[in-house]
Amino acid sequence: MSWDSYISSLTKSEWVDDAAILGLTPGQESVWASAPGGWLSQVTAGEVQAIIAGDRGKLFANGVTLAGRKCTVLRDALNVDGQNTMDIKMKTSETEPDPFSFTIGRSQKAIIIAKGVKDAHGGKINPLVFDMTAYLRKMNM
């Protein structure tokens, strides 16, 4: 199965700048597809494991990291059946002053991550990831 068409579907939106789909098989977490030139292709297995970990409380206290960039969890419904999404915002730094928004969706076998364009809020990104996640869950993917 080619995941590139799913990435293209996400990045054709005016609100999405970067996207990646990563596998969830324990011990084999890896990037299945990502937008060309985007930095979400650098998300690590450890970062995926932290996002899907059972202890959700630590996410709000410590945040999450995507490709080495610290993020704050705004809303976590990743393990809530029928929602399966998480909204996060990248923390600013001297090298990256713009706080980009992200939505992460979880299906049975993958997570979908979409990074918004500058000034796009989660409400513009979440529906795109939610719909893709719902489709993949329906297809038992």
Side-chain angles (χ1 to χ4, degrees), residues 72-114:
T72 301
V73 176
L74 304 176
R75 188 185 65 81
D76 177 22
L78 201 64
N79 295 329
V80 176
D81 205 24
Q83 293 184 29
N84 305 107
T85 59
M86 173 191 287
D87 294 321
I88 62 176
K89 190 160 215 144
M90 190 171 83
K91 293 183 179 181
T92 60
S93 68
E94 288 183 20
T95 57
E96 298 192 64
D98 296 316
F100 292 101
S101 294
F102 297 80
T103 295
I104 301 170
R106 181 178 182 168
S107 70
Q108 291 92 327
K109 298 179 182 179
I111 62 169
I112 298 97
I113 306 172

Side-chain angles (χ1 to χ4, degrees), residues 20 29 47 58 66 70 74 120 124 129:
E29 298 88 349
E47 291 169 338
K58 289 183 181 179
L66 288 178
K70 295 292 256 171
L74 304 176
K124 298 291 184 182
V129 174

